[in-house]
Amino acid sequence: MPEYRAHCELIGKQVTIEQGQKQFNAKVSDINDHGALVLADGRILSSGEITKIRKE
C-alpha cells in the first residue's frame, strides 16, 4: 500500500464524490490499508465515484 499511496494523485486534493443520489465535496487526506479513501473530516469511504478532482 505505501507504493500505491506514493503514486496516488488524489491525496491532498479537493474532490467531488457521488454516492448514490448524494454528491459532496471533500479533501482526500489518505488511503487506508484496505484501499478506502480517508477524508480530511474523518469519514472513510469504501464506495462512491469521484467525479471531479481540483488542484489546490
Side-chain angles (χ1 to χ4, degrees), residues 8-17 25-26 28 37 49-56:
C8 181
E9 295 187 22
L10 294 176
I11 296 173
K13 299 278 176 48
Q14 191 74 23
V15 297
T16 300
I17 300 168
N25 297 318
V28 178
L37 292 181
E49 182 175 344
I50 295 176
T51 59
K52 193 179 293 184
I53 303 169
R54 288 177 289 292
K55 296 179 182 177
E56 285 206 320

Side-chain angles (χ1 to χ4, degrees), residues 32-54:
N32 70 16
D33 290 337
H34 302 287
L37 292 181
V38 179
L39 304 181
D41 63 7
R43 288 184 282 181
I44 297 174
L45 302 179
S46 59
S47 66
E49 182 175 344
I50 295 176
T51 59
K52 193 179 293 184
I53 303 169
R54 288 177 289 292

